[in-house]
Amino acid sequence: MFASALDERALLLKIGQGDRDAFRQLYDQTSPQLFAVALRLLRKRDAAEEVLQEVFLTLWHAADQYDIERGSVRTWMSTITRNRCIDRIRRTPLETLPLLDDDALASEKDDPLSHVLDQDHHQLLSVCLEGLDSQQRQCVSLAFFDGMTHQEVAAHLTVPLGSAKTWIRRGLDFLKKCMGAI
Amino acid sequence: MNTTLNDMQREGGEPPLNLIAAQYVLGTLSASARLRFQSRLQQEPELRALTHAWERRLNPLTHLLNPQPVPIEVWQKIEARLDGVNLMEKTSTTPIKHQPHHPQIVSNDNYWKPFAWISTGIAASLTLFLFVRPEFSTIVQPMVAQQSQIMRDVAVLSTDKNSPAWIVRQQGQSLILSVLNAQSVPSDRDLELWSIHDKSAPRSLGIIHLTNGQATISKVTADLISKDVTLAISLEPKNGSPTGQPTGAVLYTGKIIRT
């Protein structure tokens, strides 16, 4: 697992030197995961495809700016993708769009952690997620995966805004304490 | 770092930085709060550090989603955009109407202005776009306070068959070497790392003592890993070259990519 994270760093370094083959390889390795992220957040295929293009064009031009402070290459790419998507949906509110069907949702049955990288503490994250109570987990999930604001989470769950905010804050607080200083 | 988000609540009702950073990464901030946060990010190193910590904590959650097949057109469009940019960078004076990648725009005079902007400014604007994005601003702006902790990739060392074998990272005055795919070393030999600059004689950076696939070489001065340097690893007798110059086979080499 360690090697695959480093492999992606090696690819990124090559991409920074203008290596199109390395670019294609990293695209093949990471785009389906990033597409899932974008599809789930944006709920529209054409928008998700556009974001994916933007993300990889960004990566091509900024590969040499990767910093380990941002986590693994994969995590950094997830960050870029999520930021792009969230910027978009804040410009176009979600209320008119339905949540995506379950096929793009997290599936805990088929061991989604099996392919992830140890350097980002995924096992720890998984354990910590288990420690959230169901309300906290649901709120965090609606915000993180579905791109909802506090207000949208509250409306979706038909609970007062204050409750949604508190659950989210407590959920984040628990994750921070559980995961320690990473 | 043990302070909780609640404990960090500041007097005066302003949410604590750490909570705002967490909410930014989680994605719950409103459009205007998000924009304000992004502009603060560029100016406040403390906020960036908190934000990056939340990115490392939360964004691996994306790996919980099942990968989705990507339509082939996405890659084709990326390639076309790359080729388009390259073409324009090389031939910036080429008349716009001859650009092959936007025929639907070229055929319509009403689109002349935006297209002129696209064709003449795409490389520059893309660059600007990249650099003003918050996720990159941290790298563009110096982070003096944290400089010593930051670990940066500086080189990939490959075999003579161009197969990547080592990643070299820099942290302060140390280099951290991680094995990707290197052959094992006989017990009576050691690997030694060298800095080669132009036609000067190689200078030894030290012996590579591997622990769990990693080795640290300390006290590396900046001139030994400056931009024009090639790093090389040679196979030497135990405890390193007796002559101060490489005596055995050079197994891996790679140029410094950034310093």
Side-chain angles (χ1 to χ4, degrees), chain A residues 81-145:
Chain A
T81 307
R82 291 192 68 245
N83 279 346
R84 284 284 148 85
C85 291
I86 295 167
D87 285 345
R88 262 186 190 236
I89 57 185
R90 287 294 162 270
R91 290 197 300 264
T92 315
L94 291 169
E95 56 205 33
T96 55
L97 295 169
L99 286 177
L100 214 62
D101 288 339
D102 276 358
D103 61 346
L105 303 189
S107 163
E108 291 179 345
K109 281 174 276 177
D110 59 355
D111 189 20
L113 291 177
S114 61
H115 61 292
V116 299
L117 317 168
D118 59 353
Q119 80 176 68
D120 275 330
H121 308 267
H122 295 77
Q123 299 293 348
L124 183 59
L125 181 58
S126 164
V127 168
C128 291
L129 283 173
E130 290 295 312
L132 295 176
D133 73 28
S134 61
Q135 287 167 326
Q136 292 168 356
R137 191 160 53 234
Q138 192 176 18
C139 288
V140 167
S141 173
L142 286 169
F144 185 86
F145 290 114

Side-chain angles (χ1 to χ4, degrees), chain A residues 9 13 20 24 32-33 61 64-65 68-70 78-79 82 87 90 116 122 169 176 182, chain B residues 6 18 25-27 29 34 55-56 59 62-63 65 68 75 83 131 135 139 151 153 169 258:
Chain A
R9 297 263 286 282
L13 281 160
R20 289 277 279 263
R24 178 63 201 252
Q33 189 76 55
H61 290 280
D64 60 349
Q65 294 173 30
I68 200 165
E69 274 281 294
R70 315 302 294 272
S78 300
T79 298
R82 291 192 68 245
D87 285 345
R90 287 294 162 270
V116 299
H122 295 77
R169 194 184 66 235
K176 179 170 184 283
I182 67 167
Chain B
N6 288 329
N18 201 20
V25 175
L26 187 63
L29 296 184
R34 196 171 165 81
E55 287 171 0
R56 294 195 301 273
N59 283 347
T62 54
H63 302 304
L65 293 176
Q68 298 293 308
W75 174 253
D83 292 339
F131 280 83
E135 57 258 32
I139 302 149
M151 215 186 272
D153 291 335
R169 287 170 291 159
R258 76 172 190 192

Side-chain angles (χ1 to χ4, degrees), chain A residues 2 6 9 65-71 119, chain B residues 139 146-154 167-172 174-178 214-216 258:
Chain A
F2 188 51
L6 286 171
R9 297 263 286 282
Q65 294 173 30
Y66 165 71
D67 193 313
I68 200 165
E69 274 281 294
R70 315 302 294 272
Q119 80 176 68
Chain B
I139 302 149
Q146 296 168 35
Q147 204 67 46
S148 59
Q149 281 114 47
I150 291 176
M151 215 186 272
R152 297 181 182 284
D153 291 335
V154 293
I167 290 263
V168 183
R169 287 170 291 159
Q170 178 196 3
Q171 187 175 38
S174 296
L175 290 183
I176 294 107
L177 282 73
S178 303
Q214 289 207 341
T216 301
R258 76 172 190 192

Side-chain angles (χ1 to χ4, degrees), chain B residues 187-220:
Chain B
S187 59
D188 61 341
R189 298 294 188 93
D190 269 329
L191 294 176
E192 189 162 356
L193 182 67
W194 304 87
S195 162
I196 305 167
H197 188 260
D198 281 345
K199 289 170 185 153
S200 312
R203 292 156 73 187
S204 176
L205 295 171
I207 308 295
I208 297 169
H209 297 293
L210 276 181
T211 310
N212 296 327
Q214 289 207 341
T216 301
I217 307 273
S218 53
K219 294 180 185 165
V220 179

Side-chain angles (χ1 to χ4, degrees), chain A residues 23 27 35 46-60 84, chain B residues 70 73-81:
Chain A
F23 186 49
Y27 176 86
F35 191 50
D46 55 348
E49 289 175 16
E50 271 176 37
V51 163
L52 203 58
Q53 283 180 54
E54 289 171 11
V55 167
F56 277 92
L57 287 167
T58 299
L59 190 82
W60 173 255
R84 284 284 148 85
Chain B
V70 184
E73 297 80 42
V74 175
W75 174 253
Q76 291 166 347
K77 286 177 185 168
I78 290 170
E79 281 208 303
R81 299 251 309 257

